[in-house]
């Protein structure tokens, strides 16, 4: 569980990185309408959550390094007994100061009046460019207001810059308190996958397996970190399948890609198991290639290794395996060089993982693939997908889609598989499926 001190430490780090003459402006996400007067469940902006823990809509955090009256200003909804009766409690400016550590807090209705004053004297305003056009237009309006006042003109900021560089770098390397959150999120997703494996039976519908997973998440105060993919048979060859409406047939494989968001941190796991509890010879042959590729990729992970190295390890194993089972022909080195494996393995092996499932952070530095550092977390998720209409593949292989995905944290000396408690050995999986 994160504490006020964790958020204060993050703000201090960002204030220090920005330095005097800069300001960071971090607005809340807008509420989005689902239909008519029903909204989507509110998901706060991750940057705002990371810096403040403040989860209400209609808020703006402003960080101004060296500001005498206080470096952390938070605008939020005013208290309003009538609205709170309908929509729930609000912290209000007083709560923003007392509970969230704001140096000064103001009602959000005063934003247009106060923002030009706050930004006056700064050279550069850092902001998450491009994600909130309505807010960006208002920001432009405040800057214009300052420039249009001849007395203030030389105190108006002269540039708006991306906030990503500092903030995303901070989010990329997880502090030990964040790693604890990542472990808890991973443990709950492991638990949910085990439940789903135990409950799987032929003739169930995919959404019924999804329900088992969501049940575990909700039961533990979490939500999904992305819509679960529950894909039986050839549906597994659709990488982002999420209809989850098919009936699962005896003999099908079931690919489940599901993770949770617990206390703001995401997990992301994929396992592929046989609906009947037993892999066919062809399914097992493909499964063992993906498993070997995934293990080889994870084995490479330690500080200093490039983020693409696990992918290269996976590509080598998958290419050799596809040749062994007759789906590729030729010299392995040439098949790798020419990308022949892409017909069957068309995505990357890893993405950053953190508060967002596809977390922020550059994949390159200085034109080179990023080197892993302790505290970075990513997924390792190779797969093989043999299209149902691939007439070059023997019939028994067509429509097989297999992915195996774990969450890995880089440590000082190697790595920690956060989701390592979930079986992936095919015999262990067969023993679990349908057992509960
Ligand atoms: N669940 C999305 C992904 O694995 O990247
Ligand atoms: Mn996934
Ligand atoms: Mn993933």
């Amino acid at each position: 569980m994160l504490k006020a001190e964790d958020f204060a430490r993050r703000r201090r780090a960002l204030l220090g990185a920005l330095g005097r003459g800069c300001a960071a402006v971090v607005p809340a996400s807008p509420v989005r309408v689902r239909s008519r007067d029903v909204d989507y469940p509110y998901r706060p902006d991750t940057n705002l959550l990371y810096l403040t823990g403040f989860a209400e809509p209609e808020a703006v955090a402003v960080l101004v390094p060296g500001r005498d009256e206080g470096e952390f200003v938070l605008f939020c909804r005013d208290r309003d007994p009538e609205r709170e009766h309908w929509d729930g409690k609000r912290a209000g400016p007083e709560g923003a100061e007392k509970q969230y550590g704001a140096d000064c807090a103001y009602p959000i209705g005063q934003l247009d009046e106060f923002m030009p004053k706050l930004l006056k004297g700064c050279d550069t305003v850092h902001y998450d460019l491009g994600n909130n056009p309505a807010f960006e237009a208002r920001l432009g309006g405040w800057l214009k207001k300052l420039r249009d006042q001849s007395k203030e003109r030389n105190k108006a900021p002269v540039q708006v810059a991306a906030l990503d560089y500092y903030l995303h770098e901070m989010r990329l390397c997880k502090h030990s308190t964040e790693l604890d959150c990542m472990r808890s999120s991973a443990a709950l997703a492991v638990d949910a996958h085990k439940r789903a494996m135990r409950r799987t039976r032929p003739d169930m519908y995919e959404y019924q397996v999804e329900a088992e997973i969501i049940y575990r998440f909700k039961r533990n105060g979490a939500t999904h970190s992305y819509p679960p993919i529950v894909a039986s048979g050839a549906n597994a060859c659709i990488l982002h399948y999420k209809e989850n409406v098919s009936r699962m047939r005896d003999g099908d494989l079931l690919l489940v890609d599901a993770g949770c968001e617990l206390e703001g941190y995401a997990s992301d796991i994929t396992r592929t198991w046989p609906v009947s509890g037993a892999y066919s010879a062809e399914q097992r042959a493909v499964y063992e290639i993906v498993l070997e590729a995934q293990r080889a990729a994870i084995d490479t992970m330690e500080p200093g290794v490039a983020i693409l190295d696990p992918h290269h390890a996976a590509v080598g194993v998958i290419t050799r395996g596809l040749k062994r089972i007759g789906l590729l022909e030729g010299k392995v080195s040439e098949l790798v060089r020419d990308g022949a494996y892409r017909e069957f393995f068309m995505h990357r092996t890893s993405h950053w993982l953190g508060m967002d499932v596809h977390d922020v952070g550059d994949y390159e530095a200085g034109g080179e693939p990023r080197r892993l550092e302790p505290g970075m977390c990513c997924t390792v998720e190779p797969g093989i997908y043999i299209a149902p209409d691939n007439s070059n593949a023997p019939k028994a292989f067509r429509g097989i889609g297999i992915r195996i995905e774990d969450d890995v944290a880089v440590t000082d000396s190697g790595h920690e598989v956060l989701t390592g408690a979930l079986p992936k050995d095919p015999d262990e999986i067969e023993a679990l499926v349908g057992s509960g």
Side-chain angles (χ1 to χ4, degrees), residues 18 22 39 67 100 106 120 166 189 199 214 224 230 234 252 267 290 301 307 324 396 428:
L18 292 173
C22 293
D39 298 330
R67 181 172 176 268
Y100 293 91
Y106 303 104
K120 190 166 81 180
Y166 298 110
R199 297 288 173 113
I214 297 293
H224 48 272
V230 182
D252 278 350
S267 44
V290 179
M301 295 181 65
I307 179 68
R324 196 167 62 239
E428 282 179 56

Side-chain angles (χ1 to χ4, degrees), residues 10 13 27 59-60 97 108 121 139 150 175 202-203 289 324 330 396 407 434 436:
R10 295 168 179 179
V60 181
E97 291 179 8
I108 190 76
L139 178 61
S150 51
H175 188 269
D203 295 328
I289 297 168
R324 196 167 62 239
D407 302 345

